[in-house]
């Protein structure tokens, strides 16, 4: 019987095979390989030969079908578990996978078509309607609240406030900045040496009232040594250091 096919209907050899299986109404898991191969080869023989890239795909599938057909005529092959190997199994898996993707592509195409027919209207709700909020029904809101529940909420809020307090920093006292400037200490050391001409380095620092004053006084002594107004002497190792005014 002469068969006519339209090439543009089929996107590839799997598409043609699926069409032949559905047309003959056969079980995809039990393909009559002889009949399907004959119909497939009849289509390939009628294909135009101008597009070799496209035609080669059908020729590869034709060779696969002929191979399966020849293996079907041979004695059954047995796998490691002693089960018979169906030469059509790999082809069936490819056809099922192709059918799934083809169905999904059709669904997506239909969704795109239906989406293009959808029309949307911009919201035109008045401003006062959009800002409207239904009044709160206090009786309904507090229907299951009693004094015990209120006390529980109150205690929970108090606990959260206590948890926010840093147990270490909360014990810190008030930190006040001491007003000790380097120029003041330089003036103080200069005046002291003008009166005494010499003074003990240790006694000068011990007379300060705080650690900050000691540090600033030491910096003042270094600054006066730098500008050449004073000099220091130590008579013996580990002995006391004396500060002398150069003037």
């Amino acid at each position: 019987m002469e068969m006519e096919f339209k090439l543009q209907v089929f996107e590839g050899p799997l598409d043609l095979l699926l069409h032949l299986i559905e047309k003959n109404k056969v079980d995809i898991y039990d393909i009559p390989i002889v009949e399907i191969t004959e119909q497939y080869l009849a289509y390939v023989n009628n294909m135009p030969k101008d597009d070799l890239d496209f035609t080669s795909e059908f020729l590869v599938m034709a060779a696969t079908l002929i191979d399966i057909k020849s293996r079907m005529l041979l004695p059954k092959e047995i796998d490691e578990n002693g089960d018979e190997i169906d030469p059509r199994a790999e082809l069936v898996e490819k056809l099922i996978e192709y059918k799934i993707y083809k169905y999904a592509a059709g669904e997506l195409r239909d969704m795109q078509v239906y989406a293009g027919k959808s029309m949307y209207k911009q919201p035109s709700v008045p401003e006062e309607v959009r800002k409207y909020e239904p009044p709160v029904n206090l009786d309904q809101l507090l229907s299951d609240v009693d004094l015990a529940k209120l006390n529980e909420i109150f205690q929970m809020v108090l606990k959260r406030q206590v948890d926010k307090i840093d147990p270490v920093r909360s014990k810190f006292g008030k930190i006040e900045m001491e007003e000790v400037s380097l120029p003041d200490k330089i003036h103080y050391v200069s005046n002291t040496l003008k009166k005494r001409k010499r003074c003990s380095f240790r006694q000068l620092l011990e007379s300060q009232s705080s650690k900050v004053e000691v540090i600033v006084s030491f910096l003042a002594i270094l600054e006066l040594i730098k500008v050449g107004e004073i000099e220091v002497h130590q008579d013996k190792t580990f002995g006391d250091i004396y500060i002398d005014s150069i003037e």
Side-chain angles (χ1 to χ4, degrees), residues 21-82:
I21 290 172
E22 293 175 351
K23 178 182 178 181
N24 290 276
K25 299 180 180 180
V26 297
D27 186 0
I28 195 172
Y29 293 98
D30 189 18
I31 301 174
I33 200 68
V34 176
E35 181 181 353
I36 295 298
T37 302
E38 291 177 356
Q39 295 181 18
Y40 184 89
L41 292 175
Y43 169 77
V44 172
N45 291 331
N46 291 315
M47 287 179 61
K49 305 300 188 291
D50 53 346
D51 189 352
L52 294 179
D53 290 336
F54 187 75
T55 307
S56 62
E57 297 179 8
F58 288 84
L59 293 177
V60 171
M61 180 58 71
T64 303
L65 290 172
I66 295 173
D67 177 65
I68 294 174
K69 179 180 177 181
S70 63
R71 289 170 62 189
M72 294 285 291
L73 299 174
L74 297 173
K76 299 291 185 182
E77 298 181 21
I78 307 299
D79 61 10
E80 298 176 354
N81 300 323

Side-chain angles (χ1 to χ4, degrees), residues 161-174:
Q161 295 299 322
V162 173
D163 292 341
K164 291 180 181 179
I165 300 175
D166 191 322
V168 177
R169 295 184 179 181
S170 61
K171 297 179 181 179
F172 289 169
K174 185 178 180 181

Side-chain angles (χ1 to χ4, degrees), residues 117-225:
K117 297 179 180 179
S118 301
M119 302 296 292
Y120 297 93
K121 177 181 178 296
Q122 293 295 332
S124 57
V125 181
E127 185 71 17
E128 58 273 12
V129 175
R130 282 197 306 107
K131 292 184 176 180
Y132 173 77
E133 294 181 1
V136 178
N137 189 337
L138 296 179
D139 294 335
Q140 182 180 1
L141 184 64
L142 301 175
S143 59
D144 59 342
V145 178
D146 52 16
L147 291 178
K149 186 68 175 179
L150 290 174
N151 181 62
E152 181 183 348
I153 296 173
F154 178 70
Q155 296 299 329
M156 182 177 61
V157 173
L158 289 181
K159 185 177 182 303
R160 288 182 179 177
Q161 295 299 322
V162 173
D163 292 341
K164 291 180 181 179
I165 300 175
D166 191 322
V168 177
R169 295 184 179 181
S170 61
K171 297 179 181 179
F172 289 169
K174 185 178 180 181
I175 300 176
E176 296 182 358
M177 184 177 65
E178 297 187 51
E179 296 293 336
V180 181
S181 66
L182 182 59
D184 291 342
K185 283 301 175 183
I186 292 175
H187 181 71
Y188 167 77
V189 174
S190 297
N191 287 341
T192 302
L193 290 174
K194 285 179 181 179
K195 296 176 181 178
R196 302 182 185 177
K197 299 298 182 182
R198 166 177 279 201
C199 69
S200 168
F201 179 77
R202 178 175 56 82
Q203 291 178 352
L204 180 63
L205 295 183
E206 287 180 348
S207 64
Q208 307 303 314
S209 60
S210 67
K211 184 185 294 186
V212 176
E213 287 196 12
V214 171
I215 295 172
V216 179
S217 297
F218 180 72
L219 294 176
I221 292 171
L222 294 178
E223 183 66 23
L224 290 172
I225 294 173

